[in-house]
Amino acid sequence: MLIAKITGNIVSTVKHPDYQNHKLFIVRAVDLEGKEYGPEVVCVDGCETPAGVGDYVLVDEEGGGARDLACIDHTGPVEHTVAAVIDYINTNQGGFSQFAREE
């Protein structure tokens, strides 16, 4: 699992059948303080979240689990799937709130 921030949307009129009826996001990993790091990746919205650009999400980044979350029952091209929208994170090492982010 990966904590990530949605940095963009992908709009496509023609796409692989496994992506039909799913939103596609561009996400980037964040640390426990909400700071972005690493490359951006394409992510399927597996749980039909109301998430959008700027929201923090929990991402499954393992192919089999990601396909299961997206309700794809064969080996389609899905590697990253949104599992949940994060409201806040609080740990002994730090944390951040979805609602305190800078707009």
Side-chain angles (χ1 to χ4, degrees), residues 29-50:
V30 297
D31 62 19
L32 288 177
E33 296 176 353
K35 294 179 185 170
E36 298 176 19
Y37 69 91
E40 292 180 314
V41 297
V42 175
C43 189
V44 176
D45 184 5
C47 52
E48 299 178 16
T49 65

Side-chain angles (χ1 to χ4, degrees), residues 17-32:
D18 285 343
Y19 295 143
Q20 295 298 326
N21 304 316
H22 290 289
K23 290 188 283 185
L24 299 175
F25 297 125
I26 299 171
V27 301
R28 191 165 182 210
V30 297
D31 62 19
L32 288 177

Side-chain angles (χ1 to χ4, degrees), residues 6-103:
I6 298 174
T7 59
N9 294 305
I10 296 176
V11 178
S12 174
T13 55
V14 178
K15 54 187 166 184
H16 190 280
D18 285 343
Y19 295 143
Q20 295 298 326
N21 304 316
H22 290 289
K23 290 188 283 185
L24 299 175
F25 297 125
I26 299 171
V27 301
R28 191 165 182 210
V30 297
D31 62 19
L32 288 177
E33 296 176 353
K35 294 179 185 170
E36 298 176 19
Y37 69 91
E40 292 180 314
V41 297
V42 175
C43 189
V44 176
D45 184 5
C47 52
E48 299 178 16
T49 65
V53 174
D55 288 330
Y56 295 97
V57 291
L58 186 61
V59 173
D60 187 332
E61 58 180 344
E62 184 272 321
R67 279 189 299 277
D68 288 346
L69 280 172
C71 299
I72 296 171
D73 52 0
H74 61 284
T75 56
V78 176
E79 197 167 304
H80 296 86
T81 300
V82 171
V85 177
I86 297 171
D87 293 327
Y88 63 89
I89 294 176
N90 189 11
T91 71
N92 292 348
Q93 300 162 354
F96 64 90
S97 170
Q98 165 86 6
F99 305 106
R101 71 177 190 267
E102 293 181 23
E103 298 288 332

